[in-house]
Structures are given as structure tokens and as C-alpha cells.
Amino acid sequence: MRILRRELALHTDKYQINMMYAHWVNGSHKRRAVFEAYFRKLPFGNGFAVFAGLERITQYIAELRFTEDDIRYLSEQEENYAPAFLEELLQFHFQGSIHSMKEGALVFPDEPLIRVEGTIMEAQLVETAILNFMNYQTLIATKASRIKQVAPKDTLLEFGTRRAQEADAAVWGARAAYIGGFHATSNMLAGKKFGIPTKGTHAHSWVQSFASEQEAFDAYAKVMPDGVTLLVDTFDTLRSGVPHAINTAKKLEAAGKRMNGIRLDSGDLAYLSIQARKMLDEAGLDYVKIVASNDLDENTIMNLKSQGAAIDTWGVGTQLITASDQPSLGGVYKLVEIESPSGEMVPTIKISSNPEKVSTPGKKDVFRIIGPKGKALADYISFPGEKEPQSGARLKLFNPLHPYLQKYVEKYKAMPMLEPIFVNGFQAYTLPDLDEIRRYHQEQIDLFWPEYLRKLNPEVYRVNLSEQVWTRKQQLIAEHLMPDPNDEMS
């Protein structure tokens, strides 16, 4: 299914094109390379992140072509790219391989979420778009799942379209929120394109456009008697809105119908919901639900619950779709392996004075280690040729920063986390539907003990390097930091 299709070959940073051109001029553009995308720090102070964005990445890779208009635009750039280079771009299509986490997976810092293998030219080109799609959708899916953790039994509605950063963010953000556990969206285009259930009530303008609030409620109920949720805070929630909604509900009952709910969009939501619940119950309307909106997020929802708020459904907009308390995931894309002149694949490393920015060299796989109780113990990063943990042999887990912190596990299941998406340019992965992704996300949640999932001060989940990966990293660090014998200061 083509979703919001557009030409995206130029959805990249200019320095990618410049590096591609420099490689082409140098004759190194066909060198094989391996890049890995990951993030260094969990968002929102959470104990996990939720991977999302794979569907759009897959669509992007499958349709990646330069158009004649793209080439014409590139020919006008100040770099004055050679016509033969531009002609090669016109023939370009991705012929490499991509492995990725599945959407809905719980993921953690410093582990490869996406691995791209191909020529240095094609692997460089796709960096910007992959990070763009992965960073935003993973951020929103994580925020949604975080909200879900504090309201696990309630209905969650994504209401963020009007506050999102443009249409793409609204539509793909709605999809990411659905992956993270939300039940419906207000965005009709997202509903159409992805099959997400859509929900909506009415605005204050509906009430204001009638001579009275009662007339507005009755008119709305008459038009849509099977889907009535009334916004009760246009004038006075408890003195006007709720009593008038009760009157409308009684008229619906007389017609053999039931009102769905009332919505609160301002004021003290805890107090108003408790009082409204009493009024509804006293009127024999215990089946009428209470919906709340108004700049909600996981913190306000948790606080409202602690105050005994009688709210069944939460409409979450701005704080979710913009991830307002952390508007960027900060995912990175690093070269981990490059073909040498002799044709051998050689691990590479990035050294930094910031220890957290030192990359882990070599092409790697990720396994989730599941203990005998069916719960995740750790994630394990190893080179593809290593026997452990796939053989089931005794496994050493240690903290990469503090190797003396270690333990051994023997009875475990090693769950491979990276799936082949493209192999030599051909799509090898069938994209699941959203309901499958939601089920997978719930299965992932069920793998983890509650201490890793809690909102406040979650336990840190182990991400371990194999001894071979850790040793190779230390070797490369030592090699690059070795003093120059010609340096008089050494």
C-alpha cells in the first residue's frame, strides 16, 4: 500500500550528496560499508523506548529514485557536480541490505535498531531519511506507551493533529501513537490510510451556534443518536453542561438509545469529573462515560488518578504529538565497518572526548535474552559469526562500562531482534498490519518485569556486549589513542 507517496530522493542533507560525489570522483563509491542507527539516551527519563518508523523507511527504500527534476536541481548547485555523476544518480536504486528491529519492539540505548549494508554511496544517501523517520516515530510511540503505562485500563484517544508540526507529523504521529497503545485518533486521513479507528465529539462552536445549550445537545443527539458524546464546559460544567446533558440522555433513553459520554475540556478535571460522575449516577446514567482533554500527558493523568478523578477516556493532543518535554530522540547513524583496499571488511570506530559518543565497531546482531521465567534478562550484542548466544551455551553478561559487574546465565532463550528487511536490494520482509504490530508491542511489554516499565525511576535494563565485541572495541580505542613516537611530547 502506498501511503502519502512522494519523491524523497532529495530528502537528505546536502553533505550526503557532497560525500557521495567525493567518493565518486575518488573512485571509492563502490566500497562496501556497514552503518548502524541507534540512540544513546532514553527519552523522557523512561526505562525503554518503542521502535517505530519501519513501514515508512521500507516504503522510502523501495521507491528511492532520482527524478529528472531532481537531477536538474542538482545540476544547478554551486558544487557543479559532473554530468556523469548526475547521470549515475538518475540510474540509482538501492541494492544493499537492511536489517531492523520490528515496529513495536522495546529498544534500549546503544544497540543497533537498523543496520544498513551496501556501497558507501548508497548507505550514505539514506542516512538522513532513515534517522528522520525513525527518530520521530520512535519518540511518539514511546510517549504513547508511557501514557499507556499510567492508564492501562482506560481508553486513549490521540487528538494532536492541529498542534502537530505539519501534516506528515500528524498522520505518522497518529500511527506511532496507535502502535504505542492508543485506541483511536481524531485524524481522518490517518484513519483512512492506516485503518486506525477514528473518534470525535463536537467543539464549543457547536454549542455557541444555537440559542441554548440544551437545544445544541438535543440537536446533536437527534442527528447521531448512536454516537453521542457531549462537550459540557462551554458555559458552566456543573450548573449547566452536565444537567443539560442528563436531560438529553433521558430523551435518548425514551427513544431506546444510550448516550456514550460527556467530555470535560477545562477547569479542575479531578473535581469536575467526580461531581459529574455523582450527578450522572444519581440520574441513573452510570453507563455514561466521562472523557477528559486539555493539555494532558502521562504526568497530569497520573496526578488526576491519584486525586480519584472519575475519568474513563483521555484525549491527549499537544503533549503527545509534539513530545513536548523532549522533542527529539537524538538517534545517530554511524559507520561501523568499511571495505579495505584488499577487499576485507574492517571494523571502524569513532573516538570522542565524550565517552558516551565512542561508537562500537563492527557489524553486529542483537539478541534478547529470555530467562526461565519467561522474562527478559538483558540484550546481548555480538558479531554475526559468534556461536553464543544462539548455541545456548553458558553466557557471560557484563556491564560494558564497568566490566567487573558481571553475571552468568545458563538456561535462557536467545531471541534475535534484527529482521532482514531488504536483501541485495529486494524487499524480504512483509510489512505487518497495525493490529499485528500492536499485538507484538504488547508481547514485548509482557516480556519485561514491572520495574523496567514504571514511569518514575525505572530500573536500568542491561545492554551487554559480547566479550569479542568489547575486546575489539578496546583494541581499536588503544590503537587510535596510541602516542605518536615522533611526537616529542609523548
Side-chain angles (χ1 to χ4, degrees):
M1 177 173 58
R2 292 185 175 183
I3 301 163
L4 303 184
R5 185 185 182 279
R6 64 187 62 178
E7 305 299 343
L8 290 174
L10 290 183
H11 184 48
T12 189
D13 293 305
K14 191 172 192 178
Y15 82 163
Q16 310 288 15
I17 302 293
N18 285 347
M19 286 188 288
M20 291 164 64
Y21 183 54
H23 275 300
W24 182 85
V25 172
N26 290 330
S28 56
H29 60 299
K30 298 293 186 182
R31 290 175 73 189
R32 291 175 296 152
V34 181
F35 286 79
E36 290 174 350
Y38 59 95
F39 61 87
R40 299 186 179 110
K41 184 178 179 181
L42 285 163
F44 317 116
N46 211 40
F48 62 90
V50 180
F51 179 70
L54 178 59
E55 181 165 318
R56 192 164 200 201
I57 290 169
T58 302
Q59 173 194 337
Y60 159 75
I61 294 293
E63 299 180 351
L64 183 54
R65 303 287 189 280
F66 287 89
T67 66
E68 291 186 1
D69 279 347
D70 294 337
I71 299 304
R72 188 176 301 111
Y73 176 73
L74 289 173
S75 72
E76 298 167 353
Q77 299 302 300
E78 62 184 0
E79 286 77 7
N80 196 26
Y81 304 119
F85 170 69
L86 298 179
E87 179 60 32
E88 187 156 337
L89 290 188
L90 196 57
Q91 307 304 318
F92 177 91
H93 65 278
F94 185 82
Q95 300 181 66
S97 298
I98 294 179
H99 287 70
S100 174
M101 297 281 188
K102 293 164 66 174
E103 288 195 284
L106 268 60
V107 294
F108 301 91
D110 300 315
E111 60 185 14
L113 308 184
I114 300 172
R115 189 177 76 213
V116 178
E117 304 170 62
T119 65
I120 186 70
M121 187 160 135
E122 62 188 348
Q124 202 75 71
L125 172 64
V126 301
E127 171 183 356
T128 302
I130 284 177
L131 287 177
N132 177 215
F133 303 147
M134 178 192 87
N135 280 338
Y136 176 67
Q137 293 192 48
T138 297
L139 191 71
I140 303 306
T142 304
K143 184 74 169 176
S145 187
R146 184 169 161 84
I147 294 169
K148 178 74 171 177
Q149 298 309 305
V150 302
K153 297 180 180 179
D154 300 342
T155 299
L156 301 172
L157 309 178
E158 184 278 310
F159 279 178
T161 294
R162 62 189 60 195
R163 303 288 170 77
Q165 284 89 346
E166 249 284 348
D168 278 8
V171 173
W172 291 97
R175 180 182 181 277
Y178 192 64
I179 289 173
F182 271 58
H183 299 91
T185 177
S186 65
N187 188 291
M188 295 299 288
L189 184 56
K192 176 186 175 185
K193 297 295 184 183
F194 303 122
I196 303 171
T198 56
K199 296 290 184 182
T201 57
H202 63 76
H204 295 106
S205 60
W206 172 264
V207 176
Q208 293 172 281
S209 66
F210 285 82
S212 71
E213 188 175 50
Q214 188 68 69
E215 183 183 348
F217 287 174
D218 289 346
Y220 192 80
K222 184 177 181 181
V223 174
M224 285 175 283
D226 296 312
V228 181
T229 297
L230 300 173
L231 181 59
V232 296
D233 71 335
T234 303
F235 303 120
D236 188 305
T237 299
L238 299 181
R239 293 182 181 179
S240 172
V242 176
H244 288 148
I246 289 172
N247 290 339
T248 300
K250 291 298 183 180
K251 294 173 185 177
L252 282 168
E253 282 188 340
K257 303 289 185 178
R258 281 189 164 195
M259 190 166 78
N260 288 346
I262 61 170
R263 178 161 73 97
L264 306 172
D265 190 50
S266 61
D268 184 336
L269 296 179
Y271 173 76
L272 292 175
S273 66
I274 291 169
Q275 296 305 312
R277 182 76 272 158
K278 288 180 181 177
M279 294 168 69
L280 290 167
D281 290 350
E282 288 171 359
L285 301 172
D286 58 335
Y287 59 84
V288 173
K289 304 295 185 183
I290 297 179
V291 182
S293 51
N294 188 24
D295 274 344
L296 299 173
D297 65 5
E298 65 273 33
N299 300 308
T300 53
I301 291 173
M302 187 173 73
N303 288 338
L304 286 165
K305 282 183 164 294
S306 71
Q307 297 172 58
I311 296 168
D312 308 287
T313 299
W314 307 88
V316 187
T318 305
Q319 308 300 320
L320 169 61
I321 206 69
T322 65
S324 61
D325 48 341
Q326 185 174 329
S328 176
L329 178 66
V332 295
Y333 183 91
K334 297 300 178 185
L335 179 68
V336 297
E337 214 168 79
I338 188 72
E339 184 181 12
S340 70
S342 66
E344 178 188 6
M345 296 301 292
V346 178
T348 66
I349 191 170
K350 175 189 180 295
I351 304 291
S352 173
S353 57
N354 299 114
E356 70 277 5
K357 290 191 173 184
V358 177
S359 64
T360 300
K363 170 182 169 180
K364 298 175 290 295
D365 286 331
V366 182
F367 295 90
R368 186 144 294 161
I369 307 304
I370 311 299
K373 294 184 179 180
K375 296 293 186 181
L377 302 176
D379 279 10
Y380 189 85
I381 301 174
S382 61
F383 293 137
E386 295 188 53
K387 293 181 180 178
E388 295 87 3
Q390 299 176 72
S391 64
R394 187 170 184 252
L395 199 62
K396 180 180 179 180
L397 303 179
F398 64 93
N399 187 313
L401 296 178
H402 308 289
Y404 65 90
L405 297 174
Q406 57 184 258
K407 65 182 288 189
Y408 290 89
V409 293
E410 294 183 351
K411 296 180 180 179
Y412 63 87
K413 175 185 176 184
M415 177 186 295
M417 296 301 293
L418 294 176
E419 294 278 335
I421 309 301
F422 287 88
V423 177
N424 298 325
F426 293 95
Q427 187 172 328
Y429 182 69
T430 301
L431 291 169
D433 63 34
L434 269 181
D435 287 332
E436 289 180 66
I437 295 172
R438 280 166 60 86
R439 285 194 295 271
Y440 176 70
H441 175 57
Q442 188 56 53
E443 290 169 4
Q444 287 277 291
I445 290 284
D446 292 343
L447 283 177
F448 287 80
W449 296 106
E451 53 262 37
Y452 298 115
L453 305 176
R454 65 191 177 214
K455 175 182 171 292
L456 296 176
N457 300 316
E459 182 67 21
V460 177
Y461 180 73
R462 292 169 174 261
V463 176
N464 298 268
L465 303 180
S466 73
E467 290 191 89
Q468 287 189 39
V469 172
W470 186 83
T471 300
R472 190 71 177 112
K473 183 173 184 176
Q474 304 312 307
Q475 289 172 345
L476 286 181
I477 291 173
E479 287 175 15
H480 285 280
L481 296 182
M482 187 178 296
D484 186 341
N486 299 316
D487 188 345
E488 294 181 359
M489 297 298 291
S490 64

